Amino acid sequence: MGTARTSERVVVLDDDNPSVRVPAAERGTGTLRVQLEWEPLVTASGLQRSTDLHLGCLWETRDRRSGLVQSHGELLTAPGYGARQVLRLGARGAQGEELLVDTRHLDLLRRVVLYLYTGRPSPPDYPALAPHVTLRRRDGARLQAWATGAPAGARTCALLSVHDVAGELVVRRENEYFTGPQREVAEAYGFDDLTWGPDGTVPRHA
């Protein structure tokens, strides 16, 4: 396992280096930006096509509450800490989407799983989109992971997990694909207390 240092500008998580440890002293305060980006798709005439690929986040607190943040179902913030939200879905543009993390209250969380999903029944074109997620820290350092090797028919992808281990953050590239909706990601990663709607994309209690 590697260690992220302030002097490092970019740490890429891949098959050879699947995880990195961020010591408590380097976690900092403020906002951690988690950005999903992809390659633009164009039509035969050169016009940019819309991309139905989204960033979601399963979360679990230290007292074992859990839920998810995603645009589908309008689950835009969670969990609460006083008047603040630790996780908040940010802006979406033509080539990306952003999740904002309040690091001052990050110790409320035990773990999160960052996943990619589509709102359509048909799977996204992962090879053409070449999606990747970047965690941008305030000191300028970046952790980056690419979604690669998607099998045919893959609809969702658990790309990264982040765990709080004795005050340190362990960030791991998962790169695990599923042919089903978000429910399959949650079940695979032990978020067993969530009950889902018929299509498996939004929890019933949301």
Side-chain angles (χ1 to χ4, degrees):
M1 180 185 298
T3 300
R5 298 181 177 85
T6 302
S7 59
E8 295 174 338
R9 307 306 294 175
V10 182
V11 176
V12 177
L13 301 180
D14 53 24
D15 291 340
D16 296 324
N17 181 38
S19 62
V20 67
R21 177 173 55 87
V22 181
E26 296 180 15
R27 284 172 54 168
T29 59
T31 301
L32 173 69
R33 296 181 178 273
V34 181
Q35 293 180 309
L36 166 65
E37 297 174 285
W38 55 78
E39 293 296 321
L41 302 181
V42 296
T43 65
S45 59
L47 298 176
Q48 186 164 322
R49 293 162 47 193
S50 63
T51 300
D52 189 49
L53 186 68
H54 302 269
L55 176 65
C57 176
L58 285 155
W59 54 266
E60 183 183 44
T61 61
R62 291 188 180 278
D63 59 2
R64 304 293 177 166
R65 293 181 295 120
S66 60
L68 58 154
V69 172
Q70 61 177 31
S71 58
H72 184 63
E74 297 293 316
L75 307 175
L76 305 181
T77 62
Y81 188 97
R84 302 186 65 87
Q85 302 292 324
V86 182
L87 304 170
R88 177 168 55 90
L89 203 62
R92 178 181 176 85
Q95 292 179 234
E97 193 169 43
E98 187 174 55
L99 177 74
L100 306 176
V101 184
D102 184 354
T103 58
R104 286 170 290 185
H105 303 308
L106 194 57
D107 55 358
L108 177 70
L109 297 173
R110 177 174 174 264
R111 62 175 179 142
V112 301
V113 175
L114 300 168
Y115 59 89
L116 314 182
Y117 72 97
T118 176
R120 301 170 182 166
S122 57
D125 190 346
Y126 282 107
L129 290 168
H132 58 281
V133 167
T134 304
L135 281 68
R136 298 179 181 272
R137 294 163 50 189
R138 290 194 69 194
D139 60 11
R142 289 178 289 163
L143 303 178
Q144 194 170 77
W146 294 73
T148 59
R155 183 173 169 187
T156 50
C157 173
L159 185 54
L160 282 172
S161 63
V162 184
H163 307 262
D164 189 301
V165 180
E168 297 185 340
L169 295 182
V170 176
V171 184
R172 180 175 178 82
R173 178 177 180 259
E174 303 291 345
N175 199 46
E176 185 174 1
Y177 292 89
F178 304 86
T179 57
Q182 293 89 308
R183 177 182 58 218
E184 291 194 9
V185 181
E187 291 174 349
Y189 283 86
F191 289 83
D192 301 323
D193 59 340
L194 297 175
T195 56
W196 296 83
D199 63 356
T201 64
V202 177
R204 287 185 182 276
H205 58 71

